[in-house]
Amino acid sequence: MAMKDYSDEFKADAVALYESTPGATYKSIAADLGINRATLREWVLRDRERRGVTAVAAKPAAQPREAASSADPDERIRQLEARVAELEASERKLATERDILRKAAKYFRRDELVISRFQFVDDHRNTYEMKRLCQVLGVNRSSYYKWLAGAEARATRQREDRILAEEIREVHGESGGAYGSPRVTAELREKGRRVNEKRVARIMRTFSITGIRLRRRVRTTAPDPAASPVSDLFQRDFTATEPGRKYMGDITYLPLAGGEFLYLATVLYCFSRKVVGWSIANHMRTSLVADALQMAASARGSLDGAVFHSDHGAQYGSRAFAGLCDQLGVTRSIGAVGTSANNAACESFHASLKRETLQGTRDYGDAGTCRRTVFAWLTRYNTRRRHSANGHLSPNEYEHRHHTAKLTLAA
């Protein structure tokens, strides 16, 4: 069922998604969001009017090609010969570029030490034209010559780094492999070596010398000891044979550049695995999960009589959230403490979101980019992403077919 009353946040995110997507059309973005094309267009125009931005002028139509070719056969032949020469030159250029990139591939393999692009240019300067090499690899020629001029000083630093690396390995080995850069630096200084910690840390990274360090874990589940006990009504059964009965939710962190985070709370509809409510904020207060549940109530029309399942997070166990559930007619269910399997479906959903949006990167960059990226994925997840639990139908299509089948049986 489509959401009839869209929040201001949803509208703003939809407009931001359209404006920030190169080559976007109202039709394509509206299809991803599951809304009407005219509705999206109205939001965009209204936002532009508010910001005083005039509509972008349509691209001028391409000039029509000359309708009639030259009547002179000799002139026509000359034109064709010129065109053939142009295509041959273009083909030679592309062949050269392909050859350069093929040979450059080994310089940038992830499983080997990455060699500088400047080094590749230097190794092949006698094989290819310098200008072409730099163009294909995206290298500034003046920067390359500057790099070349510093070769001797760079070689000296590398020799000194190798010597220091051996000293670091000795200290690291004496510690049983436990020391990181701060303690290694202190030990070297104790032995009379004048060195700063940043250099030690850099060399340890370069030569893969690591201390014992527990991986930082962002904790999003913190139980509230004062909360009233709530039963686990799901018992790890996240399926639903009837619509409108079972929902589940969780919080996950969204990493930003600089070590900061945003937090995402979601509400999933067990029957179709559709994400019916979500909220993004820079905090994990109760309002985060409350906003997500209220969005779900608005999207579904009502949650009266439904069961909502979550983990033991303090937000879900708070009095404010319990009051909201009572107001909406929702029965709470909380999984047993001790394992993430008690909320496995939500954990899997959040893992898929971050895997497919981060695509191997460490963070989303700034907060605005993070919000747009996650918003686009969530809406596309509902409208287009095929889900194995739905027989590889999108959540919206699964609900639509169920509703159509129900009407057919009733008739």
Side-chain angles (χ1 to χ4, degrees):
M1 182 185 297
M3 184 165 58
K4 297 180 180 179
D5 297 323
Y6 300 96
S7 66
D8 292 338
E9 181 181 0
F10 185 95
K11 295 177 183 178
D13 285 339
V15 171
L17 176 63
Y18 172 80
E19 297 284 21
S20 63
T21 304
T25 62
Y26 291 121
K27 182 178 179 180
S28 64
I29 297 298
D32 282 348
L33 301 181
I35 62 178
N36 186 276
R37 172 189 175 280
T39 301
L40 175 61
R41 181 177 182 275
E42 180 183 352
W43 293 348
V44 171
L45 295 180
R46 190 177 300 168
D47 181 73
R48 288 176 177 174
E49 181 180 356
R50 178 183 60 80
R51 292 184 288 118
V53 178
T54 58
V56 179
K59 294 181 179 180
Q63 294 295 327
R65 300 188 65 176
E66 190 175 0
S69 60
S70 174
D72 185 359
D74 292 337
E75 177 62 23
R76 180 59 176 166
I77 291 174
R78 281 193 294 272
Q79 291 177 353
L80 291 174
E81 288 176 343
R83 180 57 177 161
V84 169
E86 180 184 344
L87 292 174
E88 288 177 344
S90 177
E91 184 179 359
R92 286 193 298 272
K93 178 181 177 182
L94 290 174
T96 301
E97 292 176 352
R98 284 196 300 270
D99 193 37
I100 291 172
L101 292 173
R102 179 179 59 79
K103 293 181 178 179
K106 67 179 182 180
Y107 282 70
F108 307 107
R109 287 177 57 182
R110 292 185 178 181
D111 57 343
E112 296 178 357
L113 180 63
V114 177
I115 302 174
S116 169
R117 295 184 183 188
F118 294 141
Q119 186 65 59
F120 177 83
V121 173
D122 194 55
D123 290 345
H124 295 81
R125 58 186 301 182
N126 296 325
T127 305
Y128 303 104
E129 179 189 2
M130 177 66 68
K131 181 179 179 181
R132 182 63 56 78
L133 271 172
C134 292
Q135 285 178 341
V136 173
L137 295 177
V139 170
N140 187 289
R141 277 188 288 174
S142 63
S143 299
Y144 162 72
Y145 288 122
K146 183 177 179 180
W147 173 86
L148 194 62
E152 184 176 348
R154 192 163 52 252
T156 300
R157 285 196 302 272
Q158 289 173 351
R159 285 194 299 271
E160 293 174 351
D161 285 352
R162 285 194 292 271
I163 294 172
L164 182 56
E166 290 304 315
E167 298 177 26
I168 291 173
R169 280 200 180 95
E170 182 180 351
V171 172
H172 188 257
E174 291 173 353
S175 73
Y179 279 4
S181 59
R183 288 191 172 89
V184 169
T185 303
E187 190 71 22
L188 290 172
R189 287 174 177 171
E190 184 71 21
K191 293 182 176 183
R193 189 71 150 90
R194 296 183 62 183
V195 65
N196 65 52
E197 185 183 329
K198 287 185 178 180
R199 186 183 178 197
V200 171
R202 174 178 61 81
I203 293 176
M204 290 183 71
R205 286 195 303 270
T206 301
F207 290 88
S208 301
I209 305 171
T210 58
I212 297 175
R213 181 182 65 181
L214 295 178
R215 181 181 177 186
R216 181 186 177 192
R217 184 174 183 269
V218 178
R219 190 181 185 192
T220 56
T221 303
D224 183 358
S228 301
V230 177
S231 301
D232 181 358
L233 303 179
F234 270 38
Q235 297 295 320
R236 301 187 185 180
D237 179 10
F238 305 107
T239 61
T241 56
E242 298 179 29
R245 296 300 179 189
K246 296 171 70 175
Y247 297 82
M248 53 189 170
D250 200 3
I251 302 174
T252 191
Y253 70 96
L254 305 172
L256 305 179
E260 298 181 342
F261 299 93
L262 289 180
Y263 299 92
L264 169 69
T266 53
V267 177
L268 298 181
Y269 184 34
C270 295
F271 180 72
S272 64
R273 296 301 172 93
K274 180 175 182 175
V275 53
V276 293
W278 69 82
S279 179
I280 300 175
N282 60 357
H283 62 79
M284 289 197 298
R285 295 190 290 273
T286 301
S287 60
L288 177 70
V289 296
D291 288 346
L293 189 64
Q294 286 175 328
M295 179 181 176
S298 176
R300 307 313 292 180
S302 173
L303 296 181
D304 188 32
V307 176
F308 177 80
H309 182 80
S310 68
D311 59 20
H312 267 264
Q315 302 86 351
Y316 295 110
S318 67
R319 292 181 180 178
F321 188 76
L324 175 62
C325 289
D326 291 340
Q327 178 184 338
L328 297 175
V330 172
T331 300
R332 288 188 298 155
S333 168
I334 294 183
V337 179
T339 173
S340 60
N342 291 316
N343 205 18
C346 284
E347 297 276 355
S348 176
F349 171 81
H350 288 154
S352 296
L353 183 153
K354 284 191 272 194
R355 182 176 62 251
E356 296 179 19
T357 54
L358 286 173
Q359 298 182 355
T361 59
R362 288 182 174 271
D363 59 69
Y364 291 94
D366 58 74
T369 301
C370 176
R371 285 179 177 274
R372 289 192 297 271
T373 302
V374 173
F375 173 75
W377 190 90
L378 290 173
T379 50
R380 187 176 179 84
Y381 172 91
N382 285 339
T383 58
R384 297 198 176 186
R385 188 180 183 277
R386 298 180 184 275
H387 202 296
S388 58
N390 296 339
H392 294 287
L393 297 176
S394 71
N396 278 6
E397 181 62 19
Y398 184 80
E399 290 187 22
H400 173 71
R401 294 196 183 187
H402 173 79
H403 181 67
T404 301
K406 186 175 181 181
L407 291 177
T408 302
L409 291 174

